[in-house]
Amino acid sequence: MSINSALRAGVSGLVANSSALAAISDNIANVNTTAYKRNQVNFANVVTSQAVKGQYSAGGVQGITRQFVSQQGLIQASGSSTDLAISGDGFFIVADKGAGLTASDARKFTRQGSFSVDADGYLVNDSKLYLQGWPARADGTFDVSPSDLTKMNSINVKNLGAAVAPTQNIAVSANLNKVGVVSAQEAAYTATGANSMAAYADDPTGGTQPDFVIELNVIDSAGGSRKVAMAFLKDDSMNPNQWHAEIYSVPAGDVDNGGGTPGQLASGDVVFNADGTIDLASTTLFGSMGAAPRLTLAASTATGSAMAPAWSDAAGLADQTIALDLGKITQYASTSTVNAISQDGAGVGNIVAIEVDEQGVVSAIYDNSQIRVVAKVGIATFPNSDGLQPVSGNAYRPTLAAGEFTIKEAGVGGAGKISPSSLEASTVDLSAEFTGLIQTQKAYSASSKIITTADQMLEELINIKR
């Protein structure tokens, strides 16, 4: 009966507009939710077969929910270095727990990048979802896989321990006085043994006192500070541009040189050109002429040094090689002086900040200026992200409609770049939602009028019998 079909059409209108109202309500409620994607209920007509010629049977309407997951929200600056936003396509990969994550634990996908460090050191967002990333290897690289989620772990930025950077490079800028008087002790000087400059540093009552000493600070493998001295004694020879030189440890007991001169690491001559610049090709301080200016200390041993020189057994240190840049040591007619000394290396440091760059590399910043790479955030992309299934926490699960995901490095292969210290805003437009709210209300009222009118017509039909 046509009146009955009209009733059903009116009911379908009420149901469809109720769904539209629910979607609008959800949008308005989440206007300030980070990276929230608005939903919309679209309407499609329902057509029924016309069984009786000359009579029309109403079909009604059905509501079809549409997600705008792929719509980009406005990227806004944030005051936290762990807040992240994706500029472009893709999703952060997250899990419901940090520690003990297994292959059977479900992973989710979200663009809500309001991450912070929890009590256990994990990066977790406001919905308590843990950020996943590829852990850094010892050499600073990552085992990147486009589909294997098990290669990713919850990123932890606290359980890293302290950071130490042993000294590897030292650059010295200094001048040796070309017109200085040759010391009276120079005649008895020997490069090794009791008359060496290293012997004088160990016991000032013996040895040969140097004309000039440059002290260098060295950070060892345990983060301790050691002192190495570079001593110079003007050579009373036919070559006025030549100096005796030694490098030794202060105190001498820090190193073991296999029974040689206590603390001595190197000895030889330093030669200068006539213009006052150093002649490294003729310098013998590091062995033969032209040898690279480098100090090598073998690791400490438990049964005495197997190599010389080495760190002392009591120090218990790893081997260390230090490259010396002596190119700015000069010999001019001016007072011997140190102009500048620069070296790398850093003692024990603790984490003071966490930073993430545009490529998704998470780094820990230490108070000794060291930077340690922790992990790299992967970006998951889908062929049809609008087909994802929403779950609580402003996250999504994969579906057949969304297609197979691919994990990419940020900014590579169509994946969006990561914007550190930023958050993506909700895509809800309040003016559009309020307009839709008015339209939905009117449409709902109109559908209710259909039911009222059909009821009145049925009442008239019943009254015919009277």
Side-chain angles (χ1 to χ4, degrees):
M1 188 177 184
S2 296
I3 296 178
N4 288 334
S5 68
L7 278 170
R8 288 192 294 271
V11 171
S12 69
L14 294 178
V15 172
N17 282 286
S18 295
S19 296
L21 177 64
I24 294 171
S25 300
D26 230 3
N27 292 340
I28 294 175
N30 286 280
V31 66
N32 290 321
T33 300
T34 301
Y36 175 80
K37 307 300 181 181
R38 64 181 294 268
N39 297 306
Q40 179 177 299
V41 174
N42 295 332
F43 299 106
N45 66 317
V46 177
V47 178
T48 60
S49 59
Q50 308 300 322
V52 180
K53 188 177 181 179
Q55 294 185 7
Y56 184 84
S57 180
V61 66
Q62 62 178 346
I64 301 173
T65 303
R66 181 182 177 188
Q67 300 181 119
F68 293 89
V69 181
S70 59
Q71 185 177 353
Q72 172 79 56
L74 180 66
I75 304 298
Q76 299 175 323
S78 165
S80 173
S81 62
T82 55
D83 281 343
L84 307 175
I86 299 176
S87 180
D89 187 26
F91 299 82
F92 297 114
I93 303 167
V94 292
D96 290 320
K97 63 180 182 180
L101 198 63
T102 65
S104 60
D105 292 314
R107 271 65 164 185
K108 301 175 182 177
F109 305 89
T110 185
R111 289 179 68 94
Q112 183 175 343
S114 52
F115 295 102
S116 59
V117 181
D118 70 2
D120 297 320
Y122 291 100
L123 286 178
V124 58
N125 68 8
D126 293 341
S127 300
K128 303 305 177 185
L129 297 175
Y130 293 82
L131 180 62
Q132 304 295 293
W134 295 294
R137 293 167 168 166
D139 60 358
T141 61
F142 308 93
D143 186 8
V144 176
S145 173
S147 59
D148 190 356
L149 289 173
T150 61
K151 292 186 179 296
M152 309 183 84
N153 289 322
S154 299
I155 299 176
N156 191 297
V157 295
K158 287 294 185 183
N159 299 331
L160 303 177
V164 171
T167 299
Q168 295 179 316
N169 299 279
I170 299 178
V172 180
S173 174
N175 180 65
L176 302 180
N177 190 357
K178 180 179 176 66
V179 296
V181 178
V182 176
S183 171
Q185 299 183 57
E186 195 275 339
Y189 170 77
T190 56
T192 59
N195 288 328
S196 66
M197 289 182 278
Y200 176 84
D202 186 46
D203 183 5
T205 62
T208 301
Q209 182 178 4
D211 292 331
F212 187 62
V213 178
I214 301 174
E215 293 188 342
L216 310 173
N217 290 321
V218 173
I219 304 299
D220 61 33
S221 61
S225 181
R226 308 281 175 171
K227 185 180 291 185
V228 173
M230 183 180 297
F232 298 90
L233 179 68
K234 191 168 180 59
D235 188 0
D236 185 17
S237 68
M238 297 301 293
N239 185 357
N241 298 322
Q242 183 169 300
W243 294 68
H244 302 301
E246 295 178 32
I247 300 177
Y248 48 81
S249 172
V250 180
D254 281 353
V255 299
D256 180 356
N257 57 10
T261 306
Q264 192 177 75
L265 302 175
S267 63
D269 293 324
V270 174
V271 181
F272 292 89
N273 297 307
D275 63 358
T277 59
I278 193 168
D279 182 4
L280 291 174
S282 301
T283 294
T284 61
L285 177 59
F286 302 95
S288 60
M289 288 187 180
R294 180 178 292 111
L295 294 177
T296 299
L297 285 160
S300 303
T301 64
T303 57
S305 62
M307 298 177 61
W311 290 113
S312 67
D313 295 347
L317 298 172
D319 64 287
Q320 188 168 355
T321 299
I322 304 171
L324 297 174
D325 181 0
L326 307 181
K328 293 184 179 179
I329 295 182
T330 58
Q331 182 194 232
Y332 295 135
S334 177
T335 304
S336 296
T337 184
V338 176
N339 298 319
I341 299 175
S342 63
Q343 65 262 344
D344 57 12
V348 180
N350 298 306
I351 297 175
V352 293
I354 301 297
E355 290 186 356
V356 185
D357 64 16
E358 290 187 349
Q359 285 70 47
V361 177
V362 182
S363 302
I365 312 300
Y366 288 78
D367 56 10
N368 60 357
S369 301
Q370 296 301 298
I371 300 176
R372 180 180 293 180
V373 175
V374 179
K376 189 169 191 177
V377 178
I379 303 295
T381 61
F382 292 84
N384 175 31
S385 56
D386 289 339
L388 292 168
Q389 177 187 351
V391 294
S392 295
N394 199 15
Y396 302 91
R397 291 191 186 278
T399 63
L400 290 175
E404 287 290 332
F405 68 84
T406 303
I407 310 174
K408 303 174 182 177
E409 298 177 76
V412 177
K417 290 185 178 181
I418 291 179
S419 297
S421 300
S422 302
L423 290 174
E424 182 180 357
S426 168
T427 59
V428 174
D429 182 351
L430 277 180
S431 60
E433 299 301 329
F434 282 134
T435 301
L437 197 62
I438 295 171
Q439 293 174 331
T440 301
Q441 181 184 16
K442 295 301 183 182
Y444 189 90
S445 297
S447 295
S448 67
K449 288 297 183 181
I450 296 175
I451 298 174
T452 302
T453 301
D455 176 62
Q456 291 174 350
M457 293 175 68
L458 286 173
E459 185 67 27
E460 289 295 332
L461 182 60
I462 292 171
N463 289 336
I464 290 177
K465 184 180 178 182
R466 298 178 185 175

